[in-house]
Amino acid sequence: MKIILPVAGKGERMRPYTNNWPKCLLPVGGKTIIDWIVDDTHPLAPTETIFITGYKAEAMDRYLADKPEWGKTRTVLQNDPQGLGQAISLALPYASDDEPLLIILGDTLFDADLERLASESENVLYTYKVQDPRRFGVAVTDENGRIKRLVEKPQEFVSDEAIVGIYYIKDVKTLRDTRTNQHMATTEPHHAKRRNYLNSTTIQPHHIFKNVIIASCCN
Protein backbone atom coordinates (compact mmCIF):
# COMPACT_ATOMS: atom_id res chain seq x y z
CA MET A 1 0.00 0.00 0.00
CA LYS A 2 1.08 3.55 -0.75
CA ILE A 3 -0.03 6.58 1.23
CA ILE A 4 -0.86 9.93 -0.39
CA LEU A 5 -0.95 12.95 1.93
CA PRO A 6 -2.06 16.23 0.30
CA VAL A 7 -0.46 19.03 2.34
CA ALA A 8 -0.31 21.91 -0.16
CA GLY A 9 -2.90 24.21 1.42
CA LYS A 10 -2.05 27.69 2.72
CA GLY A 11 -4.00 27.37 5.96
CA GLU A 12 -5.33 30.91 5.59
CA ARG A 13 -7.94 30.45 8.30
CA MET A 14 -5.18 29.61 10.77
CA ARG A 15 -3.14 32.78 10.32
CA PRO A 16 -0.89 33.98 11.91
CA TYR A 17 0.14 30.44 12.93
CA THR A 18 0.70 29.45 9.31
CA ASN A 19 2.68 32.53 8.32
CA ASN A 20 5.92 30.56 8.56
CA TRP A 21 4.80 26.93 8.50
CA PRO A 22 2.45 24.79 6.45
CA LYS A 23 -0.61 23.78 8.43
CA CYS A 24 0.45 20.14 8.64
CA LEU A 25 3.55 21.11 10.67
CA LEU A 26 1.64 22.93 13.38
CA PRO A 27 1.92 21.28 16.81
CA VAL A 28 -1.11 19.59 18.36
CA GLY A 29 -0.86 17.60 21.59
CA GLY A 30 2.91 17.36 21.57
CA LYS A 31 3.35 16.37 17.89
CA THR A 32 2.80 17.99 14.54
CA ILE A 33 -0.44 17.23 12.71
CA ILE A 34 1.46 15.27 10.07
CA ASP A 35 3.23 13.20 12.74
CA TRP A 36 -0.11 12.08 14.13
CA ILE A 37 -1.26 11.05 10.66
CA VAL A 38 1.91 9.23 9.62
CA ASP A 39 2.15 7.42 12.94
CA ASP A 40 -1.39 6.12 12.42
CA THR A 41 -0.40 4.63 9.06
CA HIS A 42 2.69 2.77 10.31
CA PRO A 43 0.83 -0.46 11.17
CA LEU A 44 -0.06 -0.72 7.47
CA ALA A 45 3.66 -0.90 6.55
CA PRO A 46 3.33 1.37 3.48
CA THR A 47 5.89 0.91 0.74
CA GLU A 48 6.01 4.69 0.21
CA THR A 49 4.40 7.83 1.57
CA ILE A 50 3.84 10.60 -0.99
CA PHE A 51 3.42 14.17 0.23
CA ILE A 52 1.74 16.61 -2.16
CA THR A 53 3.33 19.90 -1.13
CA GLY A 54 2.72 23.50 -2.13
CA TYR A 55 2.68 26.33 0.40
CA LYS A 56 5.99 26.42 2.32
CA ALA A 57 7.07 23.26 0.49
CA GLU A 58 10.70 23.75 1.50
CA ALA A 59 9.73 23.47 5.17
CA MET A 60 8.18 20.08 4.50
CA ASP A 61 11.31 18.97 2.60
CA ARG A 62 13.48 19.89 5.58
CA TYR A 63 11.16 18.13 7.98
CA LEU A 64 11.17 14.91 6.00
CA ALA A 65 14.97 14.94 5.85
CA ASP A 66 14.92 14.43 9.61
CA LYS A 67 12.42 11.58 9.49
CA PRO A 68 14.27 8.48 8.25
CA GLU A 69 12.05 6.36 10.50
CA TRP A 70 9.14 7.13 8.18
CA GLY A 71 10.65 4.87 5.53
CA LYS A 72 10.52 5.75 1.85
CA THR A 73 8.99 9.18 1.28
CA ARG A 74 8.54 11.43 -1.72
CA THR A 75 7.36 14.99 -2.20
CA VAL A 76 5.46 16.13 -5.28
CA LEU A 77 5.03 19.87 -5.75
CA GLN A 78 1.55 21.24 -6.49
CA ASN A 79 2.51 24.67 -7.79
CA ASP A 80 -1.01 26.02 -8.21
CA PRO A 81 -3.31 23.98 -5.97
CA GLN A 82 -6.62 23.29 -7.69
CA GLY A 83 -8.22 20.88 -5.27
CA LEU A 84 -8.02 17.27 -4.22
CA GLY A 85 -8.51 15.83 -7.70
CA GLN A 86 -5.44 17.58 -9.01
CA ALA A 87 -3.38 16.57 -5.98
CA ILE A 88 -4.20 12.91 -6.44
CA SER A 89 -3.48 13.13 -10.16
CA LEU A 90 0.02 14.41 -9.44
CA ALA A 91 0.72 11.35 -7.30
CA LEU A 92 -0.63 8.75 -9.71
CA PRO A 93 2.57 8.48 -11.82
CA TYR A 94 4.20 7.00 -8.72
CA ALA A 95 1.39 4.52 -8.05
CA SER A 96 0.84 1.10 -9.58
CA ASP A 97 -2.45 -0.54 -10.48
CA ASP A 98 -1.77 -3.59 -8.32
CA GLU A 99 -1.05 -1.67 -5.10
CA PRO A 100 -3.87 0.10 -3.22
CA LEU A 101 -3.72 3.74 -2.16
CA LEU A 102 -4.68 5.35 1.10
CA ILE A 103 -5.34 9.08 0.76
CA ILE A 104 -5.56 11.15 3.93
CA LEU A 105 -5.95 14.91 3.88
CA GLY A 106 -2.93 16.43 5.59
CA ASP A 107 -4.92 18.40 8.16
CA THR A 108 -7.15 15.52 9.30
CA LEU A 109 -6.85 14.43 12.93
CA PHE A 110 -8.83 11.28 13.64
CA ASP A 111 -9.26 8.16 15.73
CA ALA A 112 -10.02 5.43 13.25
CA ASP A 113 -9.27 1.79 12.57
CA LEU A 114 -6.91 1.88 9.61
CA GLU A 115 -5.45 -1.58 10.19
CA ARG A 116 -8.62 -3.16 8.78
CA LEU A 117 -7.53 -1.85 5.37
CA ALA A 118 -4.66 -4.33 5.20
CA SER A 119 -7.18 -7.06 4.33
CA GLU A 120 -9.83 -4.90 2.64
CA SER A 121 -10.99 -6.01 -0.81
CA GLU A 122 -13.16 -2.98 -1.63
CA ASN A 123 -12.84 0.78 -1.79
CA VAL A 124 -13.58 2.54 1.49
CA LEU A 125 -14.62 6.07 2.36
CA TYR A 126 -14.37 7.03 6.04
CA THR A 127 -17.12 9.17 7.53
CA TYR A 128 -18.23 10.59 10.87
CA LYS A 129 -21.80 11.06 12.08
CA VAL A 130 -22.50 14.73 12.76
CA GLN A 131 -25.44 16.58 14.27
CA ASP A 132 -25.52 19.34 11.65
CA PRO A 133 -24.60 17.95 8.21
CA ARG A 134 -25.30 21.30 6.54
CA ARG A 135 -21.70 22.29 7.33
CA PHE A 136 -20.09 19.29 5.60
CA GLY A 137 -19.90 17.17 2.52
CA VAL A 138 -21.83 13.98 3.26
CA ALA A 139 -22.12 10.46 1.86
CA VAL A 140 -25.56 9.18 0.91
CA THR A 141 -25.96 5.42 1.21
CA ASP A 142 -28.41 2.83 -0.05
CA GLU A 143 -30.33 0.31 2.05
CA ASN A 144 -27.22 -1.90 2.25
CA GLY A 145 -25.02 0.89 3.61
CA ARG A 146 -23.10 1.40 0.37
CA ILE A 147 -22.43 4.86 -0.96
CA LYS A 148 -24.57 6.11 -3.83
CA ARG A 149 -23.44 9.73 -4.05
CA LEU A 150 -21.84 12.63 -2.23
CA VAL A 151 -23.61 15.89 -1.46
CA GLU A 152 -21.78 19.10 -0.57
CA LYS A 153 -23.25 20.92 2.45
CA PRO A 154 -26.87 19.84 1.97
CA GLN A 155 -29.40 22.36 3.21
CA GLU A 156 -32.05 19.63 3.37
CA PHE A 157 -31.25 16.41 5.23
CA VAL A 158 -29.95 13.60 3.02
CA SER A 159 -27.36 12.03 5.35
CA ASP A 160 -25.48 12.67 8.59
CA GLU A 161 -22.35 10.79 7.44
CA ALA A 162 -19.78 13.59 7.02
CA ILE A 163 -16.75 12.95 4.83
CA VAL A 164 -13.62 13.21 6.98
CA GLY A 165 -10.87 13.07 4.35
CA ILE A 166 -9.76 9.41 4.45
CA TYR A 167 -10.08 7.48 1.19
CA TYR A 168 -8.92 3.91 0.55
CA ILE A 169 -8.61 3.14 -3.16
CA LYS A 170 -8.38 -0.54 -4.01
CA ASP A 171 -9.24 -0.07 -7.68
CA VAL A 172 -6.31 2.15 -8.65
CA LYS A 173 -6.60 1.37 -12.36
CA THR A 174 -10.05 2.93 -12.61
CA LEU A 175 -8.87 5.98 -10.71
CA ARG A 176 -5.95 6.32 -13.13
CA ASP A 177 -8.24 5.93 -16.14
CA THR A 178 -10.47 8.75 -14.92
CA ARG A 179 -7.78 11.22 -13.86
CA THR A 180 -8.34 13.30 -17.00
CA ASN A 181 -12.03 13.68 -16.18
CA GLN A 182 -13.33 17.08 -17.21
CA HIS A 183 -13.91 18.09 -13.58
CA MET A 184 -10.18 18.05 -12.91
CA ALA A 185 -9.57 20.75 -15.50
CA THR A 186 -12.44 23.13 -14.85
CA THR A 187 -12.27 26.58 -13.35
CA GLU A 188 -14.99 25.96 -10.80
CA PRO A 189 -14.59 27.23 -7.23
CA HIS A 190 -12.29 25.19 -5.01
CA HIS A 191 -15.09 23.82 -2.82
CA ALA A 192 -16.94 22.48 -5.86
CA LYS A 193 -13.93 20.80 -7.42
CA ARG A 194 -13.54 18.34 -4.61
CA ARG A 195 -17.20 17.41 -4.71
CA ASN A 196 -17.43 17.10 -8.48
CA TYR A 197 -14.20 15.14 -8.85
CA LEU A 198 -15.33 12.60 -6.30
CA ASN A 199 -18.86 12.34 -7.63
CA SER A 200 -17.78 11.97 -11.23
CA THR A 201 -14.74 9.75 -10.93
CA THR A 202 -15.22 7.70 -7.81
CA ILE A 203 -18.76 7.49 -6.59
CA GLN A 204 -21.09 6.80 -9.49
CA PRO A 205 -21.92 3.08 -9.78
CA HIS A 206 -20.06 2.64 -13.09
CA HIS A 207 -16.89 4.17 -11.74
CA ILE A 208 -14.33 3.34 -9.11
CA PHE A 209 -16.57 3.02 -6.06
CA LYS A 210 -19.07 0.61 -7.58
CA ASN A 211 -18.23 -1.68 -4.65
CA VAL A 212 -17.65 1.03 -2.08
CA ILE A 213 -18.38 0.51 1.59
CA ILE A 214 -18.62 3.10 4.30
CA ALA A 215 -16.52 2.99 7.47
CA SER A 216 -17.46 5.04 10.49
CA CYS A 217 -14.56 7.00 11.94
CA CYS A 218 -13.34 9.04 14.82
CA ASN A 219 -14.53 7.62 18.13
Side-chain angles (χ1 to χ4, degrees):
M1 185 186 306
K2 288 193 176 185
I3 312 293
I4 299 176
L5 302 178
V7 294
K10 294 181 179 180
E12 293 178 342
R13 288 178 294 181
M14 299 188 71
R15 300 281 172 84
Y17 304 107
T18 53
N19 283 344
N20 299 312
W21 299 96
K23 181 166 49 174
C24 66
L25 293 184
L26 295 179
V28 176
K31 297 194 294 188
T32 69
I33 294 173
I34 203 66
D35 274 276
W36 285 108
I37 296 172
V38 172
D39 287 352
D40 281 341
T41 67
H42 276 168
L44 297 171
T47 59
E48 183 176 34
T49 302
I50 303 171
F51 298 83
I52 309 300
T53 61
Y55 177 70
K56 302 293 183 183
E58 65 283 355
M60 195 67 209
D61 290 336
R62 291 193 300 269
Y63 196 76
L64 290 176
D66 292 329
K67 290 289 185 179
E69 68 272 20
W70 284 3
K72 184 178 180 181
T73 61
R74 181 193 306 270
T75 59
V76 179
L77 184 63
Q78 190 178 15
N79 286 307
D80 181 23
Q82 296 293 319
L84 179 58
Q86 183 199 47
I88 297 172
S89 180
L90 291 173
L92 286 180
Y94 309 103
S96 58
D97 293 346
D98 58 354
E99 185 175 29
L101 298 174
L102 176 59
I103 303 162
I104 304 176
L105 302 190
D107 58 358
T108 302
L109 292 174
F110 55 88
D111 178 14
D113 179 12
L114 297 183
E115 293 187 48
R116 60 168 286 181
L117 298 176
S119 57
E120 184 57 65
S121 61
E122 299 181 284
N123 303 295
V124 177
L125 174 69
Y126 281 73
T127 66
Y128 179 60
K129 285 186 177 293
V130 295
Q131 291 186 341
D132 185 5
R134 293 174 300 177
R135 299 172 51 216
F136 306 95
V138 299
V140 180
T141 59
D142 61 19
E143 62 276 7
N144 297 313
R146 293 175 179 269
I147 295 172
K148 298 190 298 182
R149 60 193 174 101
L150 303 183
V151 180
E152 184 72 18
K153 298 181 179 178
Q155 295 308 296
E156 295 183 2
F157 183 85
V158 293
S159 170
D160 59 359
E161 297 279 358
I163 303 162
V164 300
I166 306 174
Y167 313 87
Y168 175 72
I169 310 296
K170 183 71 172 180
D171 189 359
V172 177
K173 183 179 185 303
T174 302
L175 179 62
R176 188 189 306 279
D177 291 344
T178 58
R179 68 178 179 169
T180 56
N181 183 277
Q182 62 178 337
H183 292 292
M184 295 176 63
T186 65
T187 56
E188 294 173 312
H190 174 77
H191 74 276
K193 287 195 169 195
R194 176 171 172 271
R195 178 197 65 205
N196 285 338
Y197 171 73
L198 290 171
N199 277 340
S200 298
T201 64
T202 61
I203 296 301
Q204 296 300 331
H206 59 287
H207 280 302
I208 189 168
F209 278 155
K210 59 185 177 182
N211 294 316
V212 75
I213 60 176
I214 197 166
S216 294
C217 165
C218 314
N219 298 324

